Amino acid sequence: MQINIKKIAVSGMLVALAVALSGFSIPIGASRCFPVQHLCNVVAGVLLGPVYGVGMAFCTSLIRNLMGTGSLLAFPGSMVGALLCGLLYQYTGKLTLAYLGEVAGTGILGGILCYPVAVFLMGQEAAVFAYVMPFLMSTLCGTVIAAVLMGALQKSGGLAYVSGILGQTRRHA
């Protein structure tokens, strides 16, 4: 795997954006949901691919936790969503599937993976599906915002242009 400095720079900007806007949260149940994280997951998954997307999600979650503006629940949700979004877009080139990957990855799989984190690392009592609904609501909000942004980029030709600059060679369907 070759390191792409342009992708690292874009990842860093997305981390900075997600951290800077981490104050914008929606408290739902025991978790605090951050729609900006899901927006950044979709942008990273589409423009950077699954590896850089997961790295961006991890760094964002780590910095938010170190600053006290996030919780350990951010790790499984954001990382699985970015991974699935990036993989689906990488193999299909379809934005719709990237959006579905973010929603299913964060909302369903990430929500379920929060159970062991909450119980074993945070000492909270929770049901296996306790975080699915809050995570689904948060990721739906962020993914809708991302869909508007990515749709505008696609219509203007900006998506293909930026992908070309970043060295992505996939078709944008």
Side-chain angles (χ1 to χ4, degrees):
M1 181 174 158
Q2 184 178 355
I3 295 175
N4 185 326
I5 299 300
K6 292 175 185 176
K7 287 184 178 184
I8 291 174
V10 173
S11 296
M13 289 187 285
L14 289 171
V15 169
L17 179 68
V19 170
L21 296 177
S22 67
F24 176 68
S25 66
I26 303 166
I28 302 175
S31 67
R32 289 172 42 197
C33 301
F34 298 86
V36 174
Q37 176 67 54
H38 311 295
L39 164 67
C40 291
N41 281 357
V42 172
V43 172
V46 170
L47 293 179
L48 305 174
V51 173
Y52 286 92
V54 170
M56 181 279 309
F58 175 81
C59 290
T60 301
S61 297
L62 180 64
I63 292 170
R64 283 182 28 216
N65 273 273
L66 292 173
M67 292 176 51
T69 61
S71 77
L72 294 176
L73 302 177
F75 287 100
S78 64
M79 292 171 62
V80 174
L83 176 66
L84 197 52
C85 171
L87 285 172
L88 285 173
Y89 188 75
Q90 180 178 4
Y91 290 111
T92 67
K94 296 188 182 301
L95 287 172
T96 305
L97 290 178
Y99 307 146
L100 289 174
E102 168 61 20
V103 171
T106 296
I108 299 170
L109 298 175
I112 292 169
L113 288 173
C114 282
Y115 172 76
V117 173
V119 172
F120 299 117
L121 296 178
M122 299 171 67
Q124 296 180 353
E125 290 192 29
V128 173
F129 297 102
Y131 298 102
V132 171
M133 191 53 71
F135 276 41
L136 268 174
M137 288 189 280
S138 179
T139 191
L140 280 171
C141 180
T143 303
V144 166
I145 296 168
V148 171
L149 173 68
M150 299 309 282
L153 277 174
Q154 187 178 35
K155 282 186 180 181
S156 71
L159 185 59
Y161 177 75
V162 173
S163 292
I165 289 173
L166 294 172
Q168 303 293 81
T169 56
R170 68 176 89 67
R171 185 182 104 263
H172 297 285

